[in-house]
Amino acid sequence: MTKLIFICFAGLLNSNPVLKVNYSKLSKEKIHISYDLNKKLTWKDYKLFNGKRREAAFTATEISYKVEQKDDEMNVNVTCVFDKNKSNVVSKYMNDYILNHEQRHFDLSFIYAMKFVDELKKQPTLTLDDIDIIYNKIFKMIEFIRVIKS
């Protein structure tokens, strides 16, 4: 299951700023793990869940973006992180198969973060409203996949 959180900070925007869109591994917080192709999740990244529920494990991910305006340049930085505080596992299901399954949720979140970056880069100019529209389009794609899976 993928969780998306929208974060946007911006100053006043000029009519046609130079656009730069980047994916960044910004997280220095101990509760977040930035997506990294060379680092896989481990069970140490999860909290233990001691109750009863349908899922063996839950992986909470966030795709966010930050917009900054500097003179005639607009920078959009997109991130994809795993949230250690919101991700958990039932101890009896801690095995390689389940961990691999949960890693794939994180991988899918990253794929959609990259789709977001690609869609933004296709635009010759962008406003904050344009960015919101594209973000919501990507979010709806992910929600559609979650509905099919359920």
Side-chain angles (χ1 to χ4, degrees):
M1 194 176 292
T2 302
K3 179 179 177 220
L4 294 165
I5 293 183
F6 165 74
I7 302 171
C8 179
F9 303 101
L12 295 173
L13 300 177
N14 294 333
S15 57
N16 289 315
V18 175
L19 178 66
K20 292 186 178 182
V21 180
N22 301 299
Y23 174 78
S24 59
K25 296 179 189 177
L26 82 97
S27 187
K28 294 182 177 152
E29 300 174 53
K30 293 182 180 184
I31 63 166
H32 290 137
I33 299 171
S34 291
Y35 188 88
D36 184 338
L37 288 170
N38 298 314
K39 183 189 180 317
K40 300 297 179 198
L41 297 173
T42 70
W43 285 128
K44 292 178 184 176
D45 299 323
Y46 287 78
K47 289 186 170 192
L48 286 179
F49 183 82
N50 295 319
K52 289 187 177 184
R53 62 167 192 218
R54 279 183 358 166
E55 301 93 6
F58 178 80
T59 296
T61 62
E62 301 173 6
I63 297 172
S64 61
Y65 67 91
K66 180 178 177 181
V67 179
E68 294 175 333
Q69 175 76 28
K70 292 180 184 175
D71 299 320
D72 64 343
E73 187 174 287
M74 180 196 297
N75 292 304
V76 182
N77 291 304
V78 177
T79 62
C80 177
V81 297
F82 170 89
D83 190 323
K84 293 168 86 171
N85 281 348
K86 295 177 183 173
S87 300
N88 51 63
V89 60
V90 176
S91 61
K92 70 179 182 178
Y93 296 113
M94 292 174 72
N95 59 56
D96 291 342
Y97 177 82
I98 299 294
L99 183 59
N100 181 55
H101 176 90
E102 295 307 311
Q103 177 66 49
R104 299 307 143 231
H105 286 293
F106 196 17
D107 295 343
L108 283 170
S109 293
F110 178 71
I111 289 168
Y112 279 93
M114 293 299 91
K115 280 183 80 61
F116 181 49
V117 168
D118 289 344
E119 288 294 316
L120 293 176
K121 286 183 175 182
K122 287 179 187 176
Q123 308 305 315
T125 60
L126 283 172
T127 65
L128 289 178
D129 287 339
D130 296 332
I131 296 169
D132 285 344
I133 289 167
I134 295 168
Y135 181 89
N136 289 329
K137 175 182 155 188
I138 298 298
F139 183 81
K140 285 179 184 174
M141 288 179 193
I142 294 169
E143 284 297 305
F144 180 71
I145 290 170
R146 285 177 48 191
V147 168
I148 290 175
K149 179 185 165 244
S150 297

